[in-house]
Amino acid sequence: MTEASRQFDFEGRIARDEKIEPNDWMPSRYRRQLVRMISQHAHSEVVGMLPEGNWITRAPSLRRKISLLAKVQDEAGHGLYLYGAAETLGAEREDLINRLLGGDARYSSIFNYPSVTWGDVGVIGWLVDQAAMVNQTMLTKCSYGPYARAMIQICKEENFHKRQGMEIMAVLSAGTSAQRAMAQDALDRWWWPTLMMFGPPDEESPHSSELIGWKVKMKSNDELRQWFVDLAVPQAEALDLQIPDPELVRDSKTGHWISGPINWDEFRSILEGEGPCNRERIESRRESHFGGAWVREAARAYEEKCRKKKALERESL
Ligand code: 3HC
């Protein structure tokens, strides 16, 4: 088959909503786009452990500590699923991680903000994980099989993350005035960065149209952002918390909640590494990566020992 006929065949499969699998032919650009997106997603999951991990030793009760531990542990697992999905495209996990540690790889902008009170843990679960779910629910229909399938398991766990966050916010917002103030302060600080999670506005997104054409993304950044806002505004009302957007208004015709302008300069500064926690996050990742090198060496040594033992057993047969 010529390259052109392979391309034609590939486009036909995408049009028929067939899943592309690791051993199938795919355009090199499709492969590169998926490695970019999936590796960033994996990095986001692992870096995303840091703001919440910061509160595990300070959780207000054993029950809160257990659920936060479980959530943070889930995020590590999501990172492993996604590094595994990137490897099915021929990417080397070590290369991907070294690019992150070298400051040459992106992860979600949202994790460059500090988690300063327990209210932040609640709002991260309630808003950030719900935003991730909106995005990941779309990705369960992605044309690349391993990515779509990883999303199905991840979304189930994200639902627990969202609910534990909402419960924290419900308790705080129904609590003392200090607890209510803590919940509102956390919402004030995390609302706009959560809207930025969905990426730049559609007209400034260089990748969206190609990714939508290949059914990697099924919706645009702005469509997902709108879906999230329509979910979160009534929830904030139910929590008796104020969304920090004086221009937020409901469109009576469409029923959508229309947000005020997003500070894209802030978003761009985060992407340029100038956010409140960019340096701290990469430093923490470097510290845990190099501090944990002995675990990887021990695992490799054990793997080598088992391999040699099996080889000797095969020779003795
Ligand atoms: N943070 C950092 N970089 C971002 C970003 C964000 N929130 N949004 C966009 N960007 C970057 C893109 O990576 C791209 O830069 P690059 O060319 O150097 O890679 C540039 O900005 C242009 O953005 P586009 O919208 O054109 O890029 P995409 O089409 O890739 O859309 C995306 C961005 C919506 C994040 C998309 O990549 C995506 O859906 N990724 C998969 C989901 C994901 O990564 N989610 C991150 C959150 S995971 C999480 O929250 C963990 C949970 O457990 C809490």
Side-chain angles (χ1 to χ4, degrees):
M1 285 175 83
T2 62
E3 194 77 356
S5 57
R6 285 178 187 274
Q7 181 75 29
F8 179 78
D9 183 48
F10 172 81
E11 303 290 353
R13 296 190 63 200
I14 295 288
R16 293 190 299 273
D17 290 329
E18 289 178 23
K19 290 291 183 232
I20 305 300
E21 298 299 336
N23 294 330
D24 293 341
W25 185 88
M26 62 185 85
S28 53
R29 175 112 180 123
Y30 178 85
R31 185 186 301 274
R32 280 201 309 277
Q33 275 283 31
L34 281 163
V35 171
R36 177 188 67 84
M37 220 171 131
I38 296 173
S39 59
Q40 279 173 217
H41 198 160
H43 296 331
S44 303
E45 298 283 0
V46 176
V47 173
M49 294 163 69
L50 295 170
E52 292 168 313
N54 176 27
W55 280 90
I56 288 173
T57 55
R58 295 181 284 169
S61 71
L62 181 60
R63 179 169 176 270
R64 291 290 184 217
K65 186 194 286 275
I66 292 170
S67 69
L68 183 57
L69 261 173
K71 174 184 189 315
V72 172
Q73 189 178 325
D74 281 351
E75 309 297 10
H78 297 173
L80 294 180
Y81 286 147
L82 290 163
Y83 284 126
E87 285 173 321
T88 67
L89 288 154
E92 288 293 330
R93 182 179 308 216
E94 203 152 343
D95 295 349
L96 299 176
I97 291 173
N98 286 339
R99 289 190 62 237
L100 174 70
L101 299 177
D104 301 326
R106 292 200 191 288
Y107 56 89
S108 188
S109 51
I110 190 71
F111 298 121
N112 287 305
Y113 291 85
S115 52
V116 293
T117 73
W118 177 252
D120 291 43
V121 175
V123 91
I124 290 172
W126 168 38
L127 291 183
V128 175
D129 285 75
Q130 181 165 215
M133 266 186 83
V134 164
N135 175 296
Q136 291 164 172
T137 302
M138 165 197 75
L139 290 169
T140 58
K141 299 189 179 46
C142 163
S143 59
Y144 186 58
Y147 198 20
R149 292 189 289 270
M151 287 300 106
I152 293 168
Q153 177 59 25
I154 287 180
C155 282
K156 287 177 191 163
E157 293 169 348
E158 292 296 2
N159 199 26
F160 149 62
H161 301 171
K162 180 191 80 173
R163 297 167 77 86
Q164 62 90 40
M166 288 185 91
E167 193 205 22
I168 292 172
M169 297 304 281
V171 168
L172 290 177
S173 63
T176 63
S177 56
Q179 286 174 317
R180 283 188 50 72
M182 180 189 280
Q184 185 62 57
D185 162 62
L187 175 56
D188 292 347
R189 285 183 288 105
W190 287 86
W191 175 255
W192 292 105
T194 305
L195 298 194
M196 296 176 201
M197 263 177 85
F198 292 96
D202 292 349
E203 63 276 11
E204 293 176 25
S205 163
H207 298 299
S208 276
S209 55
E210 184 174 53
L211 290 170
I212 289 172
W214 277 330
K215 296 184 183 176
V216 174
K217 285 169 99 171
M218 309 304 278
K219 289 184 181 298
S220 74
N221 298 353
D222 288 334
E223 286 173 322
L224 289 179
R225 200 176 347 260
Q226 184 62 64
W227 177 5
F228 167 77
V229 170
D230 288 343
L231 285 172
V233 171
Q235 291 166 353
E237 282 178 352
L239 290 167
D240 194 18
L241 294 173
Q242 298 305 314
I243 298 278
D245 175 2
E247 297 184 42
L248 184 68
V249 66
R250 186 164 190 156
D251 180 323
S252 54
K253 288 199 193 71
T254 63
H256 288 312
W257 285 94
I258 310 304
S259 293
I262 294 175
N263 179 350
W264 292 115
D265 289 339
E266 178 179 326
F267 176 71
R268 278 185 280 274
S269 75
I270 294 257
L271 264 58
E272 283 152 19
E274 297 309 317
C277 296
N278 288 63
R279 288 181 188 79
E280 178 190 331
R281 298 291 183 236
I282 292 296
E283 260 325 296
S284 302
R285 276 300 297 120
R286 283 185 188 132
E287 205 177 297
S288 53
H289 182 79
F290 295 114
W294 66 273
V295 176
R296 293 190 295 278
E297 283 154 23
R300 285 196 193 104
Y302 181 70
E303 193 182 16
E304 180 59 14
K305 182 174 163 247
C306 294
R307 194 190 61 73
K308 281 185 181 150
K309 186 166 171 261
K310 279 203 184 110
L312 283 173
E313 283 164 359
R314 271 197 301 275
E315 278 167 22
S316 63
L317 290 178

